[in-house]
Amino acid sequence: GKFEEAKDLLNELSIRIVDYNSHIFMNSLDLCYGYLGGITCEHSNFAQWLKSDDMKHDEMFYQGTAFNYIVHAKYLLLKENYRKLEALCEEMHRLFDIFNNLLGHLHAHILEAIAKDKLYGPEKATEAMQAALTLGRADGIIMLFAEYGYYITGILNELALKSKKDVYLERLRTEVSLY
């Protein structure tokens, strides 16, 4: 919840890395600003290349390119471009499979549930959210769900109506409602 402090740190970092003249550093900084913008709902935090779906594979470490997609997906979410978001989630799963990036898959499942909720309704959304819950439950992950709290509260409530006493789901509902 210390978003202003995070912005200040990123601003300070951006001043420090200018002298390195490194595309990798600058792209990484753009990703950090975009990720934060996705959480705080600030469109202006996204660099143009992330808004336009220009993933610049040649300027990023290959293992890091999947993060570009997460940040771009957050931008699509803010722009309410749910059809493109749904399609991007499929591509994200393929990328995350390469390095068995479970946290990336978790992002994609949550984003897919949000897109399906907006496009097709709660039934399709809850199906997609089940995959996210399975991954998150394994390690007790809460914060990642909380980042999407505004969008997933209804989906989690719908799941709670259908489930028997699920301690993890109840904890998620409590924590997500705080964001």
Side-chain angles (χ1 to χ4, degrees):
K2 298 179 181 180
F3 301 122
E4 288 305 315
E5 185 179 330
K7 281 187 215 176
D8 290 344
L9 288 170
L10 286 174
N11 291 337
E12 182 182 319
L13 183 61
S14 69
I15 293 167
R16 289 181 177 192
I17 66 172
V18 146
D19 292 338
Y20 290 99
N21 195 28
S22 167
H23 290 292
I24 292 173
F25 288 171
M26 296 309 290
N27 287 353
S28 297
L29 187 63
D30 286 346
L31 288 165
C32 291
Y33 274 116
Y35 194 89
L36 183 61
I39 294 170
T40 59
C41 300
E42 296 179 61
H43 300 105
S44 61
N45 277 27
F46 290 84
Q48 187 57 42
W49 66 274
L50 286 165
K51 290 179 181 180
S52 67
D53 194 15
D54 176 12
M55 293 300 132
K56 294 189 176 189
H57 293 290
D58 60 325
E59 294 183 15
M60 289 296 294
F61 292 114
Y62 184 71
Q63 294 89 336
T65 58
F67 190 62
N68 301 4
Y69 285 82
I70 292 171
V71 177
H72 178 62
K74 286 180 172 286
Y75 179 74
L76 293 175
L77 183 59
L78 287 179
K79 295 305 270 183
E80 299 178 357
N81 192 341
Y82 302 116
R83 292 209 186 285
K84 191 168 182 180
L85 179 59
E86 181 184 32
L88 183 65
C89 287
E90 291 176 26
E91 188 175 345
M92 289 167 68
H93 283 300
R94 285 192 294 277
L95 277 170
F96 299 143
D97 277 342
I98 295 170
F99 293 102
N100 196 26
N101 182 338
L102 296 180
L103 198 57
H105 280 296
L106 185 53
H107 273 280
H109 286 305
I110 294 169
L111 289 160
E112 179 184 4
I114 296 166
K116 286 185 182 299
D117 188 41
K118 299 298 184 183
L119 294 170
Y120 314 114
E123 186 175 316
K124 294 289 185 186
T126 56
E127 289 174 19
M129 186 60 78
Q130 285 292 1
L133 291 175
T134 299
L135 278 176
R137 182 179 282 111
D139 290 318
I141 295 172
I142 301 293
M143 193 61 205
L144 185 61
F145 288 90
E147 288 178 16
Y148 297 101
Y150 172 78
Y151 302 98
I152 67 171
T153 299
I155 302 168
L156 295 176
N157 290 339
E158 189 72 27
L159 282 167
L161 292 173
K162 299 174 184 175
S163 79
K164 295 180 180 154
K165 185 135 171 105
D166 183 336
V167 175
Y168 178 67
L169 179 58
E170 289 307 313
R171 181 165 178 226
L172 275 180
R173 289 178 61 216
T174 300
E175 296 294 332
V176 163
S177 70
L178 299 175
Y179 288 86

